[in-house]
């Protein structure tokens, strides 16, 4: 516990000047306090929670004792290596890694504010919304890689926005490249899809072909050279081209935690038609569920998470159509679309999808902020007309 608190204090001292310079000290301080309190409470009450957290902790300790890399899946190495580095220097102190997660979360309002400013979207509103995302109070403060992934995604999108605006290319092109490589080792399959989205953004928004070609060549070269790249790429292609099941029955899993259970009363048949219907049912539920008819047997956390996502998604749509430069807003929309597609195509349970949807949600927040501002302005003008 001492290591957790000491690390939080040190992180706050390092983060403070950055937040002050970015003029988002309020959202950053709020995020730091809220997530620190949540981290301390969860760590005191439950220790290392979540099955995946225990696995990462065990793998890091095995590496520490010379059992190198056994059981570490490709595309998940970065977090285990970071834990092993912390344990090697400071001893078995998971509190330091949890504090690192909190600091990365507290840095997100700074990044999102800079991103919103680059795209001419509401800066302060974006920073405050980012600080107050409720799901991060759990998923972001335990011994998981989620905060690291969100941080790398937001840095990547910020770099992408700067590149599309031709700002300090010698800084932001390497920043995007490094963040994508780290993302590749943090959540490999989604990183491959996300990198493709970045390439498409460069072609559509920047409208200059040389950099996208060079960047695409770099991605291809990386796929040949990076350890585990072949395995991750095969996972991505396998998820997209997987052979349809020969028999799907109802085509869905009817357990309470299954996203595809929302449409379990449809008999979708066999073969390709059944496979497509199954993917549609799972995708629609992951995207917009749990639905009202599922609430009676659903954990309230899944219900709240689904409602937050739907509200944010609607506000983001409002924000996109209200923004002055929709072409520029594609810097957000295309990565969001690819992240959502990667989840709706491969997931079928609310527990996992609720955690992974936060990747797209954080990218969405500048548009959500624009949607909020537009909605409030609309209702304010209506009141004045009365």
């Amino acid at each position: 516990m001492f290591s957790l608190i000491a690390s939080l204090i040190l992180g706050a001292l390092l983060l403070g000047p950055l937040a002050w310079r970015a003029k988002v000290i309020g959202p950053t301080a709020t995020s730091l306090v809220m997530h620190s309190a949540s981290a301390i409470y969860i760590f005191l009450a439950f220790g290392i929670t979540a099955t995946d957290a225990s696995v990462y902790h065990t793998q890091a300790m095995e590496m520490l004792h010379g059992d190198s890399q056994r059981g570490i899946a490709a595309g998940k190495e970065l977090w285990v290596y970071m834990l092993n580095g912390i344990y090697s220097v400071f001893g078995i102190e998971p509190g330091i890694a949890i504090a690192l997660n909190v600091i990365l979360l507290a840095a997100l309002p700074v990044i999102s504010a800079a991103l919103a400013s680059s795209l001419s979207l509401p800066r302060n509103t974006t920073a405050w919304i980012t600080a107050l995302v409720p799901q991060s109070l759990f998923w972001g403060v335990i011994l998981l890689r989620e905060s690291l992934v969100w941080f790398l995604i937001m840095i990547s999108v910020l770099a992408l926005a700067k590149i599309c605006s031709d700002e300090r290319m010698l800084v932001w092109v390497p920043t995007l490249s490094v963040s994508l490589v780290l993302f590749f080792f943090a959540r490999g399959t989604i990183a491959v899809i996300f990198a493709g989205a970045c390439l498409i953004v460069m072609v559509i928004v920047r409208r200059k072909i040389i950099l996208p070609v060079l960047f695409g060549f770099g991605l291809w070269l990386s796929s040949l050279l990076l350890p585990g790249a072949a395995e991750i790429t095969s996972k991505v292609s396998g998820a997209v081209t997987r052979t349809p099941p020969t028999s799907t029955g109802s085509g869905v899993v009817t357990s309470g935690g299954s996203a595809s259970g929302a449409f379990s009363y449809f008999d979708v048949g066999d073969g390709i038609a059944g496979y497509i219907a199954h993917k549609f049912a799972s995708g629609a539920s992951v995207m917009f569920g749990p639905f009202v008819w599922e609430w009676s047997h659903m954990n309230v956390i899944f219900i709240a998470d689904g409602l937050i996502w739907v509200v944010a998604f609607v506000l983001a749509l409002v924000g996109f159509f209200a923004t002055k430069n929709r072409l520029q807003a594609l810097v957000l929309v295309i990565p969001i679309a690819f992240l959502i597609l990667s989840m709706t195509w491969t997931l079928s349970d609310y527990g996992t999808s609720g955690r992974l949807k936060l990747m797209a949600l954080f990218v969405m927040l500048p548009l959500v902020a624009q949607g909020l501002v537009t909605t409030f302005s609309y209702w304010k003008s209506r009141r004045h007309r009365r």
Side-chain angles (χ1 to χ4, degrees):
M1 177 52 62
F2 173 78
S3 62
L4 171 59
I5 295 174
S7 300
L8 289 172
I9 294 172
L10 178 60
L13 294 175
L14 294 173
L15 191 60
L18 179 64
W20 178 81
R21 183 179 178 183
K23 298 180 180 178
V24 286
I25 193 73
T28 304
T30 301
S31 177
L32 182 63
V33 170
M34 289 174 54
H35 289 102
S36 295
S38 179
I40 292 170
Y41 170 74
I42 292 174
F43 192 64
L44 277 176
F46 306 105
I48 299 175
T49 58
T51 302
D52 287 349
S54 299
V55 170
Y56 298 143
H57 176 68
T58 301
Q59 289 174 336
M61 289 196 299
E62 288 176 348
M63 288 182 64
L64 189 64
H65 295 108
D67 192 0
S68 178
Q69 302 187 35
R70 188 182 69 176
I72 303 175
K76 299 182 179 181
E77 306 98 325
L78 181 59
W79 184 237
V80 179
Y81 289 158
M82 290 176 66
L83 287 178
N84 178 63
I86 291 170
Y87 294 172
S88 299
V89 175
F90 301 101
I92 311 300
E93 294 288 353
I96 296 176
I98 292 172
L100 175 62
N101 276 343
V102 172
I103 299 304
L104 292 176
L105 277 172
L108 291 183
V110 178
I111 300 170
S112 63
L115 175 60
S117 182
S118 296
L119 301 175
S120 302
L121 295 170
R123 185 176 183 278
N124 290 334
T125 306
T126 300
W128 275 109
I129 296 174
T130 304
L132 299 174
V133 172
Q135 298 98 313
S136 65
L137 290 171
F138 177 75
W139 293 117
V141 300
I142 56 181
L143 204 67
L144 293 175
R145 53 189 165 147
E146 308 310 318
S147 293
L148 176 63
V149 168
W150 302 335
F151 179 84
L152 292 173
I153 287 175
M154 292 301 289
I155 286 288
S156 298
V157 177
L158 174 59
L160 189 61
K162 297 291 187 181
I163 290 169
C164 290
S165 301
D166 287 327
E167 292 186 33
R168 300 171 66 187
M169 302 292 283
L170 292 177
V171 172
W172 291 110
V173 170
T175 299
L176 177 60
S177 302
V178 171
S179 60
L180 285 177
V181 169
L182 293 175
F183 187 16
F184 180 85
F185 288 112
R187 197 177 281 280
T189 50
I190 294 179
V192 172
I193 297 169
F194 182 78
C198 292
L199 188 60
I200 292 172
V201 169
M202 288 183 190
V203 173
I204 295 176
V205 179
R206 195 166 182 272
R207 296 181 176 181
K208 295 179 181 178
I209 198 64
I210 294 178
L211 182 60
V213 169
L214 293 175
F215 192 76
F217 176 76
L219 292 177
W220 173 78
L221 192 62
S222 298
S223 70
L224 298 178
L225 299 178
L226 289 177
E231 180 182 344
I232 293 170
T233 305
S234 67
K235 286 182 181 179
V236 175
S237 60
V240 175
T241 61
R242 186 180 296 125
T243 304
T246 55
S247 177
T248 57
S250 66
V252 293
V253 179
T254 56
S255 65
S258 170
S260 53
F263 297 98
S264 58
Y265 47 82
F266 288 116
D267 184 5
V268 296
D270 298 329
I272 293 177
Y275 181 70
I276 293 174
H278 169 71
K279 286 298 182 184
F280 170 80
S282 297
S285 298
V286 167
M287 186 68 182
F288 298 111
F291 297 100
V292 174
W293 58 85
E294 298 179 279
W295 287 6
S296 60
H297 60 270
M298 191 65 58
N299 190 308
V300 68
I301 295 176
F302 296 153
I303 297 173
D305 178 77
L307 291 174
I308 291 170
W309 168 261
V310 170
V311 171
F313 186 78
V314 171
L315 286 172
L317 286 177
V318 173
F320 174 72
F321 288 108
T323 188
K324 296 178 181 177
N325 191 338
R326 293 177 192 170
L327 178 64
Q328 197 177 35
L330 291 179
V331 171
L332 302 177
V333 172
I334 292 174
I336 290 168
F338 272 65
L339 289 170
I340 290 174
L341 181 63
S342 69
M343 291 181 292
T344 56
W345 189 256
T346 58
L347 298 179
S348 61
D349 69 277
Y350 289 126
T352 305
S353 66
R355 179 170 25 138
L356 297 188
K357 277 192 292 190
L358 289 170
M359 294 186 296
L361 180 62
F362 277 109
V363 181
M364 197 186 294
L365 292 181
L367 290 174
V368 173
Q370 181 64 63
L372 272 175
V373 170
T374 302
T375 303
F376 281 129
S377 298
Y378 171 76
W379 286 110
K380 187 176 180 181
S381 64
R382 282 197 61 181
R383 288 182 62 186
H384 283 311
R385 284 200 299 268
R386 290 178 181 177

